Amino acid sequence: MEIDIEKKILRFATMTVAAVCPAASALTQEQPRHASAGTPAPTGEVLAQRTRVSFAPRPSEKATELNVMHSIRESLGCLRSISCLGGFLAILTLSFVITARGGTKLLTTDPLTGLPLHPATDSRLHLGNEPTRLPQSQVCNSKMQVDFYSVYDSKVNVTLAWYDAHLPGFKKTHAYAANRSQDTYYKTDGTILVSVTGSPGKDGENTDTYSVLYARLQPGLPEKIIVSLNRQSVACP
């Protein structure tokens, strides 16, 4: 009776180990199924001492939950970093625009000649209208200094009407050259010029104003030279 109970215990232990760990079942299979004559059948205690099976501890539900939450936090942190980076770049761009606006000057007169400056020399972005100072040049026997301005969103007839009203006492000459309208205001002594150039177009077409330049000449140019200069065909005496 005792031997039958021990066999049942052995069989139950073998089945349990085989179900949980196939490698352990191979160890138990090495034991003889039947006890040989003169050899006592191994008891369940002896089998337990011979067979050592270790299992990694199963993580608790709390530990699993913490690991999942940690992964979620890492993902949210990454998204938050990307969002913050986008916001930082937007703020940085805005600061550049504000700085650019804060550092620009809106001129109302040309610094070279002191004459009134058309408001359309400032763009829609209001980035300022400081002139481009061109290199000093020689026209016939006169030295010429020039301030160049681009003009924005103003038709030629509107620009000329503005200068007609703001340059009293100046004479004006008109020409069409290089597919553009050319209109130059000048002082009678030939020392100051204001030249308005239109965008490319047909002769007589009211195009957008392309640019305006202010020039100072020393000594002053004769009127005939100024007219030829406006036609882009200078003829020095």
Side-chain angles (χ1 to χ4, degrees):
M1 175 69 75
E2 183 180 357
I3 294 176
D4 292 336
I5 293 174
E6 289 178 349
K7 286 183 178 181
K8 290 180 180 180
I9 294 173
L10 174 61
R11 189 178 299 110
F12 176 78
T14 303
M15 292 173 63
T16 304
V17 173
V20 178
C21 182
S25 65
L27 294 175
T28 60
Q29 290 174 1
E30 293 180 1
Q31 302 297 328
R33 291 177 178 269
H34 303 285
S36 59
T39 304
T43 64
E45 182 179 358
V46 173
L47 180 63
Q49 290 178 353
R50 292 180 181 178
T51 306
R52 297 179 179 177
V53 181
S54 61
F55 298 95
R58 181 179 179 181
S60 64
E61 294 182 0
K62 183 176 182 180
T64 303
E65 181 181 355
L66 289 175
N67 290 336
V68 172
M69 291 303 297
H70 179 68
S71 300
I72 293 174
R73 289 192 188 97
E74 284 187 344
S75 300
L76 290 176
C78 180
L79 292 175
R80 191 179 298 112
S81 299
I82 295 173
S83 177
C84 291
L85 179 59
F88 171 74
L89 292 177
I91 293 172
L92 187 62
T93 302
L94 181 60
S95 67
F96 282 148
V97 172
I98 293 174
T99 301
R101 290 184 179 181
T104 57
K105 296 180 180 179
L106 183 60
L107 302 177
T108 57
T109 58
D110 171 59
L112 177 63
T113 62
L115 295 176
L117 184 60
H118 199 293
T121 52
D122 184 28
S123 69
R124 290 181 179 179
L125 296 177
H126 303 295
L127 299 177
N129 59 348
E130 292 189 40
T132 299
R133 179 64 58 88
L134 302 182
Q136 182 173 291
S137 58
Q138 187 85 14
V139 179
C140 297
N141 295 324
S142 298
K143 293 181 180 179
M144 184 168 68
Q145 296 173 287
V146 175
D147 277 353
F148 175 90
Y149 301 85
S150 294
V151 178
Y152 305 90
D153 304 319
S154 180
K155 292 291 185 180
V156 169
N157 65 341
V158 174
T159 304
L160 294 178
W162 191 90
Y163 279 107
D164 288 343
H166 288 80
L167 296 178
F170 278 67
K171 300 184 71 173
K172 183 173 71 172
T173 178
H174 170 78
Y176 177 78
N179 297 322
R180 298 172 184 266
S181 62
Q182 301 286 341
D183 292 271
T184 297
Y185 298 83
Y186 58 96
K187 291 185 70 173
T188 54
D189 62 2
T191 58
I192 299 294
L193 306 179
V194 177
S195 184
V196 177
T197 301
S199 297
K202 297 179 180 180
D203 189 8
E205 181 182 355
N206 185 32
T207 62
D208 291 329
T209 307
Y210 177 74
S211 66
V212 59
L213 63 84
Y214 292 69
R216 178 181 292 277
L217 297 110
Q218 294 294 334
L221 289 173
E223 185 175 12
K224 184 182 295 186
I225 302 291
I226 294 174
V227 171
S228 67
L229 182 64
N230 187 61
R231 293 173 180 172
Q232 298 186 10
S233 58
V234 179
C236 296

